[in-house]
Amino acid sequence: MKLTEKQRRFVDYYVELGDYTKAARKAGYSEGSAKDAPNWINPRKPQYKMYLAEAIKARLVDIEDKRIAKVDEVMKFLTSTLRGEIKEERVVVEGTGDGRSDARIIRVQVSARDRLEAAKSLLKRYPMQLDAKEQKLKLQKLEAEIRAAEQVDDDAVTIVDDLGDGDDEDGTAQ
């Protein structure tokens, strides 16, 4: 359902203020309606307006999505850093003569260390094909060892009694 202008303002003000009553007042609802505003969002109340609750929920999700970096955003940033496309600000102090100096801000490429860290972070997310092959070989070797252990013949096992239980002092069995 499409929201009216007043309902859109209510949603916006609720997200800003976090209070249904204050948001309704600020959106232009009467005092009586504003006092009833918490019931608009409560599904257990007869005044429940599902479309308002959904609009508030969607708006909060949208705000949260904008606040938290997603994987693709992080990957783009790391790639830009690795390629030296990211600039950072540094304060440089320069002497102007007569014992005076002035500070100014300059933009420079990120350091080699930062670029290397970005490369390491990217490699953690994109394991090399060689690593995958090594993992596959290790897994095959482990599976072969397990199969070999399962095929051990019980008759081929020799039991050694080195505790001396049941033997005389001279080592003969009783």
PDB file of all heavy atoms in Angstrom, residues 10 21 41 50 73 87 108 111 128-129 135 154 159 167 173:
ATOM      1  N   PHE A  10       5.636  10.400   9.318  1.00  0.00           N
ATOM      2  CA  PHE A  10       5.594   9.651  10.566  1.00  0.00           C
ATOM      3  C   PHE A  10       6.718   8.608  10.591  1.00  0.00           C
ATOM      4  O   PHE A  10       7.446   8.494  11.586  1.00  0.00           O
ATOM      5  CB  PHE A  10       4.236   8.973  10.746  1.00  0.00           C
ATOM      6  CG  PHE A  10       4.197   7.980  11.874  1.00  0.00           C
ATOM      7  CD1 PHE A  10       4.196   8.404  13.204  1.00  0.00           C
ATOM      8  CD2 PHE A  10       4.188   6.617  11.626  1.00  0.00           C
ATOM      9  CE1 PHE A  10       4.171   7.484  14.243  1.00  0.00           C
ATOM     10  CE2 PHE A  10       4.172   5.700  12.657  1.00  0.00           C
ATOM     11  CZ  PHE A  10       4.158   6.135  13.966  1.00  0.00           C
ATOM     12  N   THR A  21       4.768   8.352  19.590  1.00  0.00           N
ATOM     13  CA  THR A  21       3.913   9.490  19.907  1.00  0.00           C
ATOM     14  C   THR A  21       4.529  10.796  19.425  1.00  0.00           C
ATOM     15  O   THR A  21       3.857  11.610  18.775  1.00  0.00           O
ATOM     16  CB  THR A  21       3.657   9.547  21.434  1.00  0.00           C
ATOM     17  OG1 THR A  21       3.150   8.274  21.852  1.00  0.00           O
ATOM     18  CG2 THR A  21       2.652  10.618  21.784  1.00  0.00           C
ATOM     19  N   ILE A  41       1.469   0.163  15.439  1.00  0.00           N
ATOM     20  CA  ILE A  41       2.563  -0.745  15.125  1.00  0.00           C
ATOM     21  C   ILE A  41       2.448  -2.060  15.898  1.00  0.00           C
ATOM     22  O   ILE A  41       3.185  -2.992  15.654  1.00  0.00           O
ATOM     23  CB  ILE A  41       3.917  -0.055  15.442  1.00  0.00           C
ATOM     24  CG1 ILE A  41       3.959   1.347  14.866  1.00  0.00           C
ATOM     25  CG2 ILE A  41       5.102  -0.840  14.941  1.00  0.00           C
ATOM     26  CD1 ILE A  41       3.742   1.420  13.361  1.00  0.00           C
ATOM     27  N   MET A  50      -0.540  -2.596   9.421  1.00  0.00           N
ATOM     28  CA  MET A  50       0.559  -3.421   8.974  1.00  0.00           C
ATOM     29  C   MET A  50       1.467  -2.670   7.999  1.00  0.00           C
ATOM     30  O   MET A  50       2.688  -2.776   8.059  1.00  0.00           O
ATOM     31  CB  MET A  50       0.033  -4.698   8.309  1.00  0.00           C
ATOM     32  CG  MET A  50       1.124  -5.646   7.885  1.00  0.00           C
ATOM     33  SD  MET A  50       0.506  -7.211   7.252  1.00  0.00           S
ATOM     34  CE  MET A  50      -0.247  -6.700   5.728  1.00  0.00           C
ATOM     35  N   GLU A  73      31.821  -4.231  -1.074  1.00  0.00           N
ATOM     36  CA  GLU A  73      32.406  -2.913  -0.777  1.00  0.00           C
ATOM     37  C   GLU A  73      33.803  -3.067  -0.171  1.00  0.00           C
ATOM     38  O   GLU A  73      34.740  -2.355  -0.536  1.00  0.00           O
ATOM     39  CB  GLU A  73      31.491  -2.152   0.182  1.00  0.00           C
ATOM     40  CG  GLU A  73      31.939  -0.754   0.495  1.00  0.00           C
ATOM     41  CD  GLU A  73      30.997  -0.043   1.453  1.00  0.00           C
ATOM     42  OE1 GLU A  73      29.932  -0.589   1.810  1.00  0.00           O
ATOM     43  OE2 GLU A  73      31.343   1.087   1.852  1.00  0.00           O
ATOM     44  N   LYS A  87      44.166   7.377  -1.702  1.00  0.00           N
ATOM     45  CA  LYS A  87      45.083   8.411  -1.209  1.00  0.00           C
ATOM     46  C   LYS A  87      44.739   8.673   0.253  1.00  0.00           C
ATOM     47  O   LYS A  87      43.598   8.565   0.669  1.00  0.00           O
ATOM     48  CB  LYS A  87      44.915   9.715  -2.004  1.00  0.00           C
ATOM     49  CG  LYS A  87      45.071   9.577  -3.494  1.00  0.00           C
ATOM     50  CD  LYS A  87      46.496   9.413  -3.880  1.00  0.00           C
ATOM     51  CE  LYS A  87      46.620   9.440  -5.410  1.00  0.00           C
ATOM     52  NZ  LYS A  87      47.718   8.718  -5.897  1.00  0.00           N
ATOM     53  N   VAL A 108      48.776  11.679  -0.311  1.00  0.00           N
ATOM     54  CA  VAL A 108      49.782  10.767  -0.836  1.00  0.00           C
ATOM     55  C   VAL A 108      49.185   9.375  -0.989  1.00  0.00           C
ATOM     56  O   VAL A 108      48.174   9.052  -0.379  1.00  0.00           O
ATOM     57  CB  VAL A 108      51.027  10.695   0.093  1.00  0.00           C
ATOM     58  CG1 VAL A 108      51.735  12.029   0.151  1.00  0.00           C
ATOM     59  CG2 VAL A 108      50.646  10.230   1.476  1.00  0.00           C
ATOM     60  N   SER A 111      50.939   3.654   1.934  1.00  0.00           N
ATOM     61  CA  SER A 111      52.289   3.089   2.016  1.00  0.00           C
ATOM     62  C   SER A 111      52.341   1.683   1.421  1.00  0.00           C
ATOM     63  O   SER A 111      51.315   1.009   1.260  1.00  0.00           O
ATOM     64  CB  SER A 111      52.741   3.039   3.471  1.00  0.00           C
ATOM     65  OG  SER A 111      51.980   2.087   4.179  1.00  0.00           O
ATOM     66  N   MET A 128      44.466 -19.382  -3.316  1.00  0.00           N
ATOM     67  CA  MET A 128      45.074 -19.699  -4.604  1.00  0.00           C
ATOM     68  C   MET A 128      44.685 -21.104  -5.027  1.00  0.00           C
ATOM     69  O   MET A 128      44.407 -21.963  -4.196  1.00  0.00           O
ATOM     70  CB  MET A 128      46.597 -19.589  -4.509  1.00  0.00           C
ATOM     71  CG  MET A 128      47.062 -18.192  -4.205  1.00  0.00           C
ATOM     72  SD  MET A 128      48.840 -17.931  -4.185  1.00  0.00           S
ATOM     73  CE  MET A 128      49.558 -19.480  -3.908  1.00  0.00           C
ATOM     74  N   GLN A 129      44.710 -21.350  -6.337  1.00  0.00           N
ATOM     75  CA  GLN A 129      44.386 -22.670  -6.856  1.00  0.00           C
ATOM     76  C   GLN A 129      45.359 -23.717  -6.334  1.00  0.00           C
ATOM     77  O   GLN A 129      44.992 -24.843  -6.082  1.00  0.00           O
ATOM     78  CB  GLN A 129      44.400 -22.654  -8.394  1.00  0.00           C
ATOM     79  CG  GLN A 129      43.250 -21.878  -8.989  1.00  0.00           C
ATOM     80  CD  GLN A 129      41.907 -22.462  -8.600  1.00  0.00           C
ATOM     81  OE1 GLN A 129      41.758 -23.667  -8.472  1.00  0.00           O
ATOM     82  NE2 GLN A 129      40.927 -21.603  -8.399  1.00  0.00           N
ATOM     83  N   GLN A 135      45.260 -29.057  -0.730  1.00  0.00           N
ATOM     84  CA  GLN A 135      44.238 -29.549   0.183  1.00  0.00           C
ATOM     85  C   GLN A 135      43.615 -30.840  -0.343  1.00  0.00           C
ATOM     86  O   GLN A 135      43.365 -31.770   0.413  1.00  0.00           O
ATOM     87  CB  GLN A 135      43.146 -28.490   0.393  1.00  0.00           C
ATOM     88  CG  GLN A 135      43.611 -27.271   1.145  1.00  0.00           C
ATOM     89  CD  GLN A 135      43.986 -27.600   2.575  1.00  0.00           C
ATOM     90  OE1 GLN A 135      43.484 -28.540   3.168  1.00  0.00           O
ATOM     91  NE2 GLN A 135      44.880 -26.815   3.145  1.00  0.00           N
ATOM     92  N   ASP A 154      43.059 -58.789  11.679  1.00  0.00           N
ATOM     93  CA  ASP A 154      43.168 -59.025  13.120  1.00  0.00           C
ATOM     94  C   ASP A 154      44.159 -60.147  13.435  1.00  0.00           C
ATOM     95  O   ASP A 154      44.779 -60.167  14.491  1.00  0.00           O
ATOM     96  CB  ASP A 154      41.800 -59.372  13.710  1.00  0.00           C
ATOM     97  CG  ASP A 154      40.897 -58.152  13.813  1.00  0.00           C
ATOM     98  OD1 ASP A 154      41.431 -57.017  13.829  1.00  0.00           O
ATOM     99  OD2 ASP A 154      39.665 -58.326  13.887  1.00  0.00           O
ATOM    100  N   ILE A 159      50.057 -59.724  20.165  1.00  0.00           N
ATOM    101  CA  ILE A 159      49.888 -59.116  21.479  1.00  0.00           C
ATOM    102  C   ILE A 159      51.107 -59.431  22.304  1.00  0.00           C
ATOM    103  O   ILE A 159      51.495 -60.584  22.457  1.00  0.00           O
ATOM    104  CB  ILE A 159      48.610 -59.630  22.170  1.00  0.00           C
ATOM    105  CG1 ILE A 159      47.388 -59.253  21.320  1.00  0.00           C
ATOM    106  CG2 ILE A 159      48.512 -59.075  23.579  1.00  0.00           C
ATOM    107  CD1 ILE A 159      46.087 -59.823  21.821  1.00  0.00           C
ATOM    108  N   ASP A 167      52.850 -64.666  35.198  1.00  0.00           N
ATOM    109  CA  ASP A 167      54.132 -65.332  35.001  1.00  0.00           C
ATOM    110  C   ASP A 167      54.812 -65.538  36.349  1.00  0.00           C
ATOM    111  O   ASP A 167      54.636 -64.766  37.274  1.00  0.00           O
ATOM    112  CB  ASP A 167      55.058 -64.475  34.127  1.00  0.00           C
ATOM    113  CG  ASP A 167      54.564 -64.395  32.684  1.00  0.00           C
ATOM    114  OD1 ASP A 167      53.722 -65.218  32.302  1.00  0.00           O
ATOM    115  OD2 ASP A 167      55.033 -63.471  31.957  1.00  0.00           O
ATOM    116  N   ALA A 173      55.138 -69.308  32.370  1.00  0.00           N
ATOM    117  CA  ALA A 173      53.713 -69.136  32.653  1.00  0.00           C
ATOM    118  C   ALA A 173      53.254 -70.135  33.662  1.00  0.00           C
ATOM    119  O   ALA A 173      53.757 -71.246  33.729  1.00  0.00           O
ATOM    120  CB  ALA A 173      52.916 -69.280  31.358  1.00  0.00           C
TER     121      ALA A 173
END
